[in-house]
Amino acid sequence: MSPPRKVIVDVDVGTDDAWALLLLLKCEKKFNLKVEAITCTHGNTDVHNAARNVLRVLAAIGRTDVPVYKGAIEPLITPVPEGDRHFHGLDGFGDLNLDVPDETIIQSEHAVNELARRINADPGNISLILLGPLTNLALCLKMYPQVRQNIKDLFVMGGNRNGVGNVTKCAEFNFWADPEAAHIIFNSLVCPITLLPWETCVTEHRELEMTWRMDVVGRTTNKAVLMLNQAEKKCYGDWDRWMPCDAFVAAVFIKPEIVVHAENWHVDIELAGTLTRGQAVLDHRKKSKENTRIVDKIDTQYFKDLIMYAADHNVEDQL
């Protein structure tokens, strides 16, 4: 049997990040992968709340063995306006006043240094999944340039395919929250990059009814899911469809065959546009070398089966 695929996950938890972590950790044995570490960044909430929410998920499923590291507290240059990052509540988990987890198990090393240490110690064998603003990896590439050659591959939830935004007219939150970081990554890395953009999330979520999420997936004894039931009920309010953006890209990593349609493009990031700052820009002239695989469509039914599996429902025979 081949050795497990190693992955480090960078998060700004966020309920959709929590689902991505739950998917990855629950699928480790069945899909032969290993979550080596979880690094935290600013984004949906501040980095301290993000780390706390990671610990809550890990404690709920008995996986506090996975090391957790705090990273960047803010973007490289421009601060994110406070009101534009709190869809998931001020604390990232719906402001439910949950118990404070045991923070003593957070590792003392900074996430950026730990990324470099782990990747350089095992070159070509560690994948990265980035689910929040890309600040940690951008800092890592600038501080430790040799890392650029040693990343196996990169999976990103963020950006856009057709200029459709969710925080501005033209920009998706993760890239808009630190455009310079996204620019550094897409102009520096030599490894394969897989991008699942905002438009794909919009397409996929149309097939995920909120009643299915709450009344089918949510009826479980899984403590992490029960916690997320509360948070998502508050965050999504009257939504009739579920939007687990980060879980989509986690599913692509877990089961590559879930991708139904993808195309290769050269992707760059707009930094200076008055209306378009943070937009992912595709080279439709095909003058530049392709640097990114963009996932346009996944098998939504298989995704639903993965979610059910992660929530401890008896669907293993369907995977």
Side-chain angles (χ1 to χ4, degrees), residues 261-276:
H261 184 264
E263 294 182 0
N264 294 322
W265 291 90
H266 181 272
V267 174
D268 208 337
I269 314 301
E270 174 58 52
L271 299 181
T274 303
L275 299 176
T276 56

Side-chain angles (χ1 to χ4, degrees), residues 161-162 265-266 281-287:
R161 171 78 151 85
N162 301 304
W265 291 90
H266 181 272
V281 180
L282 278 57
D283 179 15
H284 290 274
R285 300 183 307 158
K286 300 290 186 177
K287 299 290 186 180

Side-chain angles (χ1 to χ4, degrees), residues 82-113:
E82 283 296 308
D84 290 318
R85 68 175 187 172
H86 292 138
F87 174 81
H88 301 267
L90 292 173
D91 71 353
F93 260 15
D95 299 324
L96 297 173
N97 295 316
L98 299 169
D99 291 339
V100 176
D102 178 10
E103 296 181 74
T104 62
I105 63 175
I106 296 175
Q107 305 295 310
S108 60
E109 296 86 351
H110 193 280
V112 171
N113 298 326

Side-chain angles (χ1 to χ4, degrees), residues 19-316:
W19 271 106
L21 290 176
L22 188 58
L23 271 177
L24 290 161
L25 292 166
K26 284 288 184 174
C27 289
E28 276 187 330
K29 291 183 180 179
K30 184 168 183 61
F31 291 91
N32 198 30
L33 59 100
K34 179 70 169 65
V35 177
E36 294 286 307
I38 300 168
T39 55
C40 303
T41 186
H42 69 93
N44 284 320
T45 184
D46 64 48
V47 70
H48 310 293
N49 281 325
R52 284 181 174 182
N53 292 338
V54 169
L55 297 180
R56 289 176 173 123
V57 172
L58 297 181
I61 61 173
R63 288 302 309 275
T64 53
D65 57 294
V66 181
V68 179
Y69 303 85
K70 288 184 183 179
I73 64 171
E74 60 188 10
L76 296 177
I77 297 176
T78 307
V80 176
E82 283 296 308
D84 290 318
R85 68 175 187 172
H86 292 138
F87 174 81
H88 301 267
L90 292 173
D91 71 353
F93 260 15
D95 299 324
L96 297 173
N97 295 316
L98 299 169
D99 291 339
V100 176
D102 178 10
E103 296 181 74
T104 62
I105 63 175
I106 296 175
Q107 305 295 310
S108 60
E109 296 86 351
H110 193 280
V112 171
N113 298 326
E114 191 62 18
L115 279 170
R117 186 189 71 79
R118 287 177 177 267
I119 293 167
N120 287 335
D122 197 5
N125 289 319
I126 297 180
S127 300
L128 300 180
I129 300 177
L130 306 188
L131 303 177
L134 311 187
T135 313
N136 280 338
L137 181 56
L139 283 169
C140 185
L141 296 178
K142 288 298 185 181
M143 293 173 64
Y144 304 97
Q146 65 271 31
V147 167
R148 301 176 190 188
Q149 311 297 322
N150 292 334
I151 299 170
K152 179 181 179 181
D153 48 18
L154 176 66
F155 295 78
V156 180
M157 190 281 121
N160 36 31
R161 171 78 151 85
N162 301 304
V164 178
N166 65 353
V167 67
T168 69
K169 295 176 182 179
C170 300
E172 176 275 334
F173 176 80
N174 286 343
F175 284 20
W176 172 83
D178 197 341
E180 283 75 19
H183 184 270
I184 288 168
I185 286 166
F186 282 86
N187 283 278
S188 298
L189 289 185
V190 297
C191 70
I193 300 175
T194 294
L195 179 70
L196 195 142
W198 170 244
E199 292 92 337
T200 304
C201 296
V202 172
T203 300
E204 297 304 328
H205 105 291
R206 291 170 183 159
E207 300 183 44
L208 303 177
E209 294 184 355
M210 190 60 75
T211 52
W212 170 80
R213 159 64 187 92
M214 292 298 177
D215 299 338
V216 179
V217 177
R219 292 184 180 275
T220 177
T221 58
N222 183 299
K223 292 180 180 179
V225 176
L226 294 176
M227 177 173 58
L228 289 170
N229 285 349
Q230 301 176 63
E232 291 189 304
K233 190 174 295 184
K234 187 171 180 181
C235 295
Y236 286 102
D238 296 328
W239 286 40
D240 62 356
R241 295 291 186 273
W242 184 41
M243 181 69 88
C245 298
D246 294 336
F248 291 137
V249 76
V252 169
F253 176 80
I254 291 166
K255 183 72 171 180
E257 296 84 359
I258 202 173
V259 176
V260 173
H261 184 264
E263 294 182 0
N264 294 322
W265 291 90
H266 181 272
V267 174
D268 208 337
I269 314 301
E270 174 58 52
L271 299 181
T274 303
L275 299 176
T276 56
R277 178 170 162 80
Q279 178 181 332
V281 180
L282 278 57
D283 179 15
H284 290 274
R285 300 183 307 158
K286 300 290 186 177
K287 299 290 186 180
S288 302
K289 182 180 178 181
E290 297 163 348
N291 63 355
T292 304
R293 178 182 69 140
I294 296 181
V295 175
D296 291 317
K297 176 66 180 169
I298 65 172
D299 182 338
T300 316
Q301 183 55 55
Y302 196 91
F303 174 79
K304 292 173 77 171
D305 291 339
L306 283 175
I307 289 291
M308 292 286 283
Y309 180 72
D312 291 337
H313 293 278
N314 186 22
V315 295
E316 187 167 2

